[in-house]
Amino acid sequence: MKRIAFTLLLALALPAAAHADDASKRAKAEELVRITKMDQLMDKVMGQMSDRMKAMTAQQTAQIQATPEQQKLIDDFQAKVQQIIQGAISWDKLKPVILQVYSETYTDDELDGIISFYHSPAGQALIAKSPELMTRTMDLMQKQMVTIQPQIQQAAEDFGRKMKATGPAPSSSTAPNSSQKP
């Protein structure tokens, strides 16, 4: 009888302990997100993405010599795309997902160690310098992309020639329909 009572007590206590463990890990994940100032980092990344999109669009449309009406359409399109992106990856939408991933990925001990590191002077330096590090890294990557752009352009031209050489694509009226039976 004692064994059954103990088993029953253990079965009732395990879900509560697991829930407490989940709550503890989530609290630690929240501390990690807070101490690393991830919300500010995301805002900065979004700003940089926006600036880069504007620069790329300006570079591409400079060759077109758009009319004022066309330029307005381009600007409106760019603003709409930026709004869609910001809506999809806003901090409010990402935070719960990030907290869940951190809680599922790291153990309690790992979260304790990571949080301790970020409270240290070295961890604080990493947090403080990460935005500059990201900016410089993105600039270097963009410069690298510029150097390979001629190769990409050549590959695109080669691809276009090969596609033309294979003949026209079948029209939708002559293309076989997989839902039709022979």
Side-chain angles (χ1 to χ4, degrees), residues 53-82:
M53 281 179 47
K54 287 177 185 174
M56 286 173 55
T57 302
Q59 182 182 17
Q60 291 172 348
T61 58
Q63 300 168 3
I64 296 174
Q65 296 186 3
T67 66
E69 182 181 1
Q70 290 170 328
Q71 188 60 51
K72 179 165 178 13
L73 288 173
I74 292 167
D75 294 343
D76 290 349
F77 172 74
Q78 184 177 11
K80 184 171 183 109
V81 168
Q82 186 174 346

Side-chain angles (χ1 to χ4, degrees), residues 4-178:
I4 293 173
F6 176 73
T7 305
L8 183 59
L9 182 62
L10 187 61
L12 292 173
L14 283 177
H19 181 43
D21 185 46
D22 289 346
S24 171
K25 284 178 77 175
R26 184 162 179 92
K28 289 176 183 181
E30 287 204 36
E31 169 68 5
L32 180 57
V33 164
R34 185 194 62 74
I35 195 170
T36 57
K37 302 174 185 169
M38 192 170 288
D39 58 335
Q40 294 173 19
L41 183 61
M42 288 300 298
D43 286 346
K44 192 163 199 120
V45 167
M46 288 300 297
Q48 289 176 348
M49 280 178 50
S50 175
D51 292 346
R52 290 192 190 289
M53 281 179 47
K54 287 177 185 174
M56 286 173 55
T57 302
Q59 182 182 17
Q60 291 172 348
T61 58
Q63 300 168 3
I64 296 174
Q65 296 186 3
T67 66
E69 182 181 1
Q70 290 170 328
Q71 188 60 51
K72 179 165 178 13
L73 288 173
I74 292 167
D75 294 343
D76 290 349
F77 172 74
Q78 184 177 11
K80 184 171 183 109
V81 168
Q82 186 174 346
Q83 182 182 18
I84 292 168
I85 291 169
Q86 286 177 338
I89 58 174
S90 69
W91 178 243
D92 290 339
K93 288 189 178 183
L94 287 180
K95 183 180 179 183
V97 174
I98 290 172
L99 291 174
Q100 179 181 350
V101 170
Y102 279 22
S103 295
E104 292 172 354
T105 303
Y106 297 114
T107 66
D108 271 324
D109 288 342
E110 290 168 339
L111 285 168
D112 288 337
I114 294 167
I115 290 167
S116 291
F117 167 73
Y118 280 119
H119 278 294
S120 74
Q124 288 296 302
L126 179 64
I127 293 166
K129 294 178 181 180
S130 286
E132 178 188 348
L133 186 66
M134 285 183 70
T135 299
R136 292 177 63 191
T137 301
M138 288 178 78
D139 288 344
L140 289 171
M141 287 173 56
Q142 187 174 12
K143 287 177 184 172
Q144 185 64 27
M145 291 302 292
V146 167
T147 65
I148 64 170
Q149 195 158 357
Q151 293 170 307
I152 293 171
Q153 181 67 33
Q154 183 63 49
E157 289 171 6
D158 292 347
F159 172 74
R161 279 193 298 277
K162 289 176 183 176
M163 287 297 288
K164 282 182 181 178
T166 63
S171 68
S172 59
S173 62
T174 60
N177 187 343
S178 60

